Amino acid sequence: MPNQSAMDVFSSCAKVLTVLFVLTLAAEDKLATLNEGCAECAGVSLLQVGLDHVKQHGNRTAHGTTENGRSGGGDHFWPQKSHNLLRSGSSSFAATLQLDEPVWQFEEPDGDEQAQANALNVIYQTPVIDGDGSVYVSSNSGVLRALRLADGTERWKFRLDGSGGAGVPTPALVGDSLFTADSNGNVLCLALSDGRERWRARYADGDEGHDSWSVTAARDVVMLLGTRSGEATGARLVAVCAIYGNVLWDFKCDFLMYNLMPSVSGDAVFFADSAGNVYSLGLHDGSVRWKLPLSDSTISTGGLAIGENGVAYVTANLATAACTPFTDPTGCGDGLLRAVDLLTGTVLWNRTFAGMPANNVPAIYPRGSSGGFAVVLGLGANPDEPFVGAMGKPGSPHADRILALDASSGATIWSYETPVWSSSAAAGATEKKICWPDAFS
């Protein structure tokens, strides 16, 4: 189940990915975030971009990353998933709120017969945006494209080796380079100007993980999802040198990782596996700084993001009588949000949400004149995988909720109940055009 990192319902759908740049520059209880996903599948097969302009407030960072990890690619608007290395999901960019019609649209080609049969002509990945007017997006077909931000026309495309599928990652931009990986276990560095391959290196036996994971690039280190022979897929984090591609370190998690998206702050990297175990490793050597285990959990497609207050916010799901550990891949159970100190791994506070799973990475934004920060997360079960005979039939109602919580205490600031969706699968999903998003992005 793909997971982009802004807040929107049913985001990466079928062949649809709408990039909506939204910033609410107003009162304290408004979410300032870049909306990276489409509102729903609706049977449309387009990459739709609603953008009149992108305007930056304040100074851009220099090439590389700042000490607190805010930048992730130098002089780029949106260099990695969730904008920055903290993965805060909030933005200082201003954009139009008139989202009724796209400025341009790009349709992912159907590809060959085999790709169609395997439902590979879909987009699960998050677009990233450079500072020179281009947007870069991969698809399950294994093709990475550079599109002009002004009109959506194609600048260049690059076909990755391997079988493609939902494990094709979201790339990362640093300087004049793009970092990505193929499903054969190779990391690649491409030139942003023309898609030319600068180098490739073998870093694992394969990287076909669970869902669309994200490449992370920080201080000449590139981190990727990897698998060794004989292992379950999607349980190893591998770091390589951004200059030559040689492996610096790798780390085996206790459990698989859906939607891997590590956060970086200072000289440490932070991430969670799908069982809710949280890890802090040294960025340059992979040494374990601390580990925060979680018992009696079940699968979550969520993860971890860091606020500028130096606190990590981690989602997970707790097992219940109706949802036993690791038996339901759709992310069921009671949702859990923990606030975790970055230096020690101590839980500062936690909130449990009975009957409402937590399957997305939270977003953290400053509360304006009132001071402090707010944490926004979506709660609700993920849709089922579409299968023959299921489409169009009623299913269990999805009664979802969006919450904003005070980042220092976990107290509720505001809550919104979304319209109930009663179907076994997401809107527009078919067995040949698989739309299988997480409940929120």
Side-chain angles (χ1 to χ4, degrees):
M1 291 171 233
N3 184 11
Q4 289 122 32
S5 58
M7 297 296 298
D8 195 9
V9 181
F10 292 139
S11 60
S12 333
C13 316
K15 294 161 70 174
V16 186
L17 189 89
T18 305
V19 187
L20 304 175
F21 298 86
V22 180
L23 178 65
T24 305
L25 298 173
E28 65 176 45
D29 295 338
K30 300 297 183 180
L31 171 63
T33 184
L34 181 66
N35 183 335
E36 300 166 332
C38 64
E40 59 180 35
C41 301
V44 184
S45 58
L46 300 171
L47 169 65
Q48 299 176 331
V49 180
L51 174 65
D52 285 344
H53 67 281
V54 176
K55 179 180 179 183
Q56 184 176 18
H57 290 260
N59 296 323
R60 294 182 184 177
T61 57
H63 176 78
T65 57
T66 57
E67 188 62 26
N68 66 1
R70 289 187 191 178
S71 105
D75 206 25
H76 298 308
F77 284 116
W78 203 262
Q80 307 192 41
K81 184 185 281 189
S82 283
H83 182 223
N84 53 24
L85 288 172
L86 299 180
R87 312 294 190 174
S88 64
S90 61
S91 170
S92 59
F93 303 147
T96 179
L97 295 180
Q98 297 177 358
L99 307 176
D100 50 339
E101 292 185 10
V103 175
W104 56 260
Q105 58 193 27
F106 172 81
E107 181 173 358
E108 165 70 8
D110 283 336
D112 57 30
E113 235 174 81
Q114 183 177 359
Q116 293 184 52
N118 295 329
L120 295 180
N121 54 326
V122 295
I123 296 173
Y124 280 177
Q125 296 73 17
T126 300
V128 292
I129 307 165
D130 69 16
D132 295 317
S134 293
V135 57
Y136 304 83
V137 63
S138 300
S139 73
N140 285 15
S141 65
V143 176
L144 188 152
R145 289 180 172 84
L147 308 176
R148 293 178 178 86
L149 194 58
D151 57 14
T153 55
E154 184 175 286
R155 287 184 49 235
W156 54 259
K157 68 179 178 181
F158 185 93
R159 179 169 290 278
L160 300 167
D161 292 342
S163 58
V168 173
T170 292
L173 310 180
V174 177
D176 61 355
S177 297
L178 178 150
F179 296 95
T180 187
D182 63 32
S183 56
N184 289 338
N186 297 304
V187 55
L188 297 93
C189 176
L190 308 181
L192 291 185
S193 58
D194 56 8
R196 180 181 74 260
E197 182 178 319
R198 288 179 164 158
W199 56 258
R200 72 170 59 202
R202 184 84 163 178
Y203 76 94
D205 296 323
D207 71 351
E208 291 188 18
H210 301 269
D211 288 351
S212 179
W213 56 279
S214 298
V215 177
T216 303
R219 296 196 189 91
D220 296 329
V221 177
V222 178
M223 284 168 283
L224 311 113
L225 187 69
T227 300
R228 301 287 184 228
S229 295
E231 292 180 350
T233 58
R236 187 176 290 272
L237 180 66
V238 183
V240 305
C241 172
I243 301 174
Y244 303 110
N246 53 294
V247 173
L248 301 175
W249 53 264
D250 67 19
F251 179 80
K252 178 74 162 51
C253 298
D254 292 347
F255 197 69
L256 59 85
M257 292 178 283
Y258 280 97
N259 309 312
L260 172 68
M261 188 176 68
S263 298
V264 177
S265 180
D267 64 348
V269 56
F270 305 85
F271 60 99
D273 62 30
S274 295
N277 303 305
V278 186
Y279 307 85
S280 172
L281 308 180
L283 177 62
H284 293 99
D285 61 8
S287 59
V288 178
R289 303 283 179 85
W290 53 259
K291 174 186 169 184
L292 177 63
L294 181 65
S295 58
D296 298 323
S297 61
T298 186
I299 290 174
S300 169
T301 55
L304 176 151
I306 298 173
E308 292 185 20
N309 55 354
V311 176
Y313 299 91
V314 193
T315 52
N317 289 323
L318 299 175
T320 64
C323 181
T324 56
F326 317 126
T327 58
D328 189 332
T330 62
C332 59
D334 293 341
L336 174 68
L337 176 67
R338 288 170 291 171
V340 180
D341 182 83
L342 291 185
L343 293 178
T344 65
T346 303
V347 176
L348 304 176
W349 57 260
N350 66 80
R351 286 280 304 269
T352 303
F353 307 95
M356 300 291 286
N359 288 314
N360 74 287
V361 176
I364 305 102
Y365 71 98
R367 295 184 63 190
S369 59
S370 64
F373 295 87
V375 181
V376 178
L377 74 157
L379 298 170
N382 293 325
D384 295 325
E385 179 182 11
F387 57 91
V388 177
M391 276 63 67
K393 293 185 178 180
S396 300
H398 289 264
D400 300 333
R401 182 182 307 153
I402 301 174
L403 284 171
L405 308 176
D406 182 87
S408 61
S409 66
T412 299
I413 300 171
W414 54 259
S415 176
Y416 173 75
E417 304 292 327
T418 65
V420 174
W421 174 254
S422 296
S423 178
S424 59
T430 71
E431 65 272 14
K432 296 209 170 182
K433 296 292 172 82
I434 295 178
C435 174
W436 196 9
D438 299 329
F440 291 90
S441 61

